[in-house]
Structure formats: structure tokens, C-alpha cells
Amino acid sequence: MLSFEDARKIILESVQPVGIERVHLLEATGSVLAEDLAAPWDMPLWDNSAMDGYAVRWQDCTNIPCTLRVTGFLPAGSKADGIMVGAGCAVRIMTGAPIPDGCDAVVPVEETDNGQQEVTLNESVKKGQHIRLRAEDVAAGVIFARKGTRIRPPEVNMLAGFGMALVPVYRRPVVAILSTGDELVELGCTPGSGEIINSNTLSLAAAVQEVGCIPRIIGIASDNRESHLEKLSEGLKADVLVTSAGVSAGDCDLVRDILDELGAKQIFWKVAIKPGGPTAFAMHGLTPVFSLPGNPVSTMITFEEFVRPALLRLQGHQKVLKPFFKAVLRDPLNKKPGKMQIVRLRLEKKQGQWYATSAGNQQTSILKTMVDAEAIALLPAESTSFAVGDEVDVHFFGNHIELELP
Ligand code: AMP
Ligand code: MG
């Protein structure tokens, strides 16, 4: 049977970004830059003062203390054009204001007597001090952000500083979500005997949103060919289709057959993992189709391990896998050999060391253990038992990152 590693490799090799769009800076936050960006002009655009103080000619200030005549005032936002500072003179200047011609140093107000008509300097002056030079941050033409960069507030700041309101980013994919099964009723209905609420659709939509994509809820396909044909066709119009349930070997499991009928090419079915074994992956043209098992725990875990990295790749991210770190077990874990076991854990950090306890009953049917889990461990297929004190590789679940108490 296909290994977990091979399944994920196949998926990540099959998907690519869905296109580029130009969006406003604020909508771009979290997206990935789709082009290299070059500075349209020097930053800063002109030499300017790094301090509130006096712009001076360095050669006038070699004998300290010295007194200079104050001939002007340059607050931030004023123009230095036409202001010429002659010998023995200084201009009062505020942080960010342009350096007037003739000056080559700024003396902070704290190092003077703060005079208005005349100013006395009390400390030695170095040529060029407290001047931010034109282009010292980024020179015109220099690439200041590379394709593949995730846009964060610092990138927004620099883009805005260069007057770039629209940013070329990889488009956020629309992800169709379809649940299947005659037992399902929608949220808002009271489930009768034999019925359950279609909770997977909501959970998948939440996970799709969390990873930065746009969910499109298709609804429920009933366990018959016509309904599957209609709903799967609808779902295939999106950039990605994710289905839940109807993908095992049961009499009513129609998803793979109908996808085949609709022209999707199955890439794999069944992976050597538990939970999540019946997962199928297909491509319909350029549209990836993930058919996840219906058990809510299996649906969420296979989304986390297979769909999430693929959705990041589709948005142009290069780094799409969660980092693993070591945790020391406080509970023993046992498994059968042959399949990778995905276990749900709680974590605690003590003196720089992570410790993991089981989040609860690990049966696939127990949803509460998923609710209680902060992290996941992938126990290798060939392994069978882990004792208290053994180290396992874990990663956080979902977008969870561990913050510290204040
Ligand atoms: P199936 O893959 O169709 O055999 O479904 C496996 C299990 O998951 C069954 O117990 C289903 O009732 C349950 N299930 C299927 N779809 C959903 C859903 N959309 N929301 C919650 N549970 C589901
Ligand atoms: Mg079913």
C-alpha cells in the first residue's frame, strides 16, 4: 500500500499555483508575492536628519565649544530647496527633514544649549553624523522583495512607502466542499433517528479559511448516482474539490466511481495510515480532487496532513510542511506494524523540554480527543511500541502555535 510519505509527495508534485492577481495591500497580507519587486525610486529619496537638532557644516565645529548663527528652521515636511547654509551658520532641523545644501552633520538638541538665534555646541561633531543618506535603505532599481515572499506587515510598509497600492500575488484558490451520505442533515435541522448533522462541511470550510483559501460549500450528495453526478460536477468548477465520506469499500461509497465517470483521473486510493486509510486523490484537468474519509477525525487529520500543504503550495508557498520537534512521552503508545499511526496529543513545556500526553481515546470515532489535541505525532509504520520517556516527533495541529502565558 502507498506510504504516507509517497502519498504526500505525489500530491505536492501534482499541484501548482492557480494564477496571479493584483490586490490592494491590505488584502495581500498573508498572500505570496508572485513577482520580484524593484524599487521605483531611492529610499530615502533625499538625505535627511535622524535627530531633532541643528544641521551644521562640520568644518565650522572643530573647536568645541563653538557658537553658530541660526539662520533657518526645517521641520519635517518642509523643503530644503534654495536654503544655503553659509560659514558659521546652522539651521534648526527636525527628524526626517531634508538636509540643506552645505551641511554635512546634524547635532542633536541635547548636545547644545538649545539656542534660537545662536546655538552653542558642547560636544565634538563627526562628519556625516545623524544624517540618513539618500538610498541607504534601498536604491532605485534594487529588488526589495522576491517572488515567493509571504506578505507581512513589514512588506506592506515597504510597498506602501514605494507607493505600490496593488500587489501581484498568487490568487487564493476557491475550494469546493462536498459531503456525501444519506444520513446527513444540514446544520439547523434536528437530527432524527439514523441522522447526523453534516458537521464535516463546516469543519472543512473552517480549515480552508484558516489556511487562507476561499471555501465554497456545495452541500450534501445523497447516496445515489444522480445526486453524486450533480454535486460532484458542481464541485469540479472550483479550483480544488474536497469531498468527505463515500470513499471506502461500502455499498454506498460512490465518490470515486462518479469522479471517474466525470473524467477525473485517480492518482491514488488508500494510504498506509490510521486514521485516514481510504483517502483518494485525483486530478480533473488541473483541478486537484481530495476524497477524504467521512469519519470526522479522519477527515480533519487527512486535511491537516494532505490538503493543507497542498493548499499552501497552490497559494505559491514554498515551505508548506509543519516543523517537527521532539516531545518526551508521558503515556505509552502501542500500535500494530504496517501502517503509520497518527496520534492526537496534548503538550506541556517544562524547563525547555516538551512533554506529550495522549489527548484521550485514540479510536477514530472519538471526536472529543481531536478537540482536546494540540499536536499530532506520526508514528512510523514499522514501529510497534513507545514507552514512557521515549521521544517522539510531533507537530502542532492546525494553525495552533504555542504562546506563553504573560
Ligand atoms: P462513510 O465514509 O460514508 O462510511 O462515513 C464514515 C462515517 O463518517 C460514518 O459514521 C458517517 O456517518 C460519518 N460521516 C460521514 N459524513 C459526515 C459528515 N459530513 N459529517 C459528520 N460525519 C460524517
Ligand atoms: Mg457514507
Side-chain angles (χ1 to χ4, degrees), residues 244-314:
S244 93
V247 77
S248 307
D251 297 340
C252 304
D253 293 341
L254 300 170
V255 171
R256 288 182 318 109
D257 284 349
I258 309 296
L259 279 173
D260 180 65
E261 205 173 312
L262 289 168
K265 183 173 171 294
Q266 182 177 295
I267 313 285
F268 66 72
W269 179 43
K270 292 188 176 171
V271 188
I273 52 172
K274 195 176 180 311
T279 301
F281 177 63
M283 291 294 290
H284 182 263
L286 288 176
T287 308
V289 183
F290 297 88
S291 304
L292 309 181
N295 205 304
V297 170
S298 310
T299 313
M300 283 184 276
I301 282 184
T302 50
F303 183 96
E304 169 80 11
E305 300 297 338
F306 295 131
V307 186
R308 189 176 199 282
L311 294 184
L312 288 171
R313 175 69 40 98
L314 279 150

Side-chain angles (χ1 to χ4, degrees), residues 103-342:
C103 292
D104 51 9
V106 169
V107 179
V109 72
E110 297 83 355
E111 297 176 11
T112 73
D113 66 353
N114 197 13
Q116 299 295 317
Q117 261 79 49
E118 285 192 337
V119 62
T120 299
L121 315 186
N122 304 317
E123 302 202 18
S124 66
V125 179
K126 276 201 235 99
K127 194 169 184 176
Q129 72 175 34
H130 304 306
I131 291 180
R132 305 160 173 163
L133 293 176
R134 173 175 187 155
E136 75 172 15
D137 194 345
V138 184
V142 166
I143 306 277
F144 68 91
R146 297 253 168 222
K147 177 177 170 172
T149 303
R150 189 167 65 92
I151 301 196
R152 306 163 304 160
E155 281 76 20
V156 170
N157 207 318
M158 186 154 272
L159 284 155
F162 281 130
M164 296 173 166
L166 292 179
V167 201
V169 293
Y170 292 109
R171 188 163 68 72
R172 293 171 185 264
V174 174
V175 181
I177 297 164
L178 174 63
S179 288
T180 74
D182 281 344
E183 73 276 37
L184 302 179
V185 294
E186 292 294 20
L187 182 68
C189 303
T190 306
S193 173
E195 293 177 339
I196 57 168
I197 292 178
N198 173 17
S199 55
N200 278 347
T201 281
L202 281 305
S203 165
L204 285 170
V208 163
Q209 259 172 359
E210 194 179 53
V211 72
C213 300
I214 303 157
R216 181 183 293 162
I217 292 174
I218 306 294
I220 300 168
S222 311
D223 287 328
N224 62 69
R225 183 171 169 274
E226 293 66 39
S227 181
H228 270 58
L229 273 174
E230 182 204 332
K231 300 288 183 180
L232 285 169
S233 312
E234 181 64 25
L236 287 170
K237 292 179 190 157
D239 297 311
V240 180
L241 171 58
V242 179
T243 69
S244 93
V247 77
S248 307
D251 297 340
C252 304
D253 293 341
L254 300 170
V255 171
R256 288 182 318 109
D257 284 349
I258 309 296
L259 279 173
D260 180 65
E261 205 173 312
L262 289 168
K265 183 173 171 294
Q266 182 177 295
I267 313 285
F268 66 72
W269 179 43
K270 292 188 176 171
V271 188
I273 52 172
K274 195 176 180 311
T279 301
F281 177 63
M283 291 294 290
H284 182 263
L286 288 176
T287 308
V289 183
F290 297 88
S291 304
L292 309 181
N295 205 304
V297 170
S298 310
T299 313
M300 283 184 276
I301 282 184
T302 50
F303 183 96
E304 169 80 11
E305 300 297 338
F306 295 131
V307 186
R308 189 176 199 282
L311 294 184
L312 288 171
R313 175 69 40 98
L314 279 150
Q315 293 174 87
H317 291 276
Q318 297 298 315
K319 297 177 180 173
V320 298
L321 299 182
K322 298 260 181 81
F324 280 97
F325 54 96
K326 302 268 181 216
V328 174
L329 283 177
R330 280 182 171 151
D331 288 322
L333 295 172
N334 295 301
K335 65 184 273 296
K336 291 195 193 118
K339 287 184 177 180
M340 172 181 272
Q341 177 99 22
I342 303 176

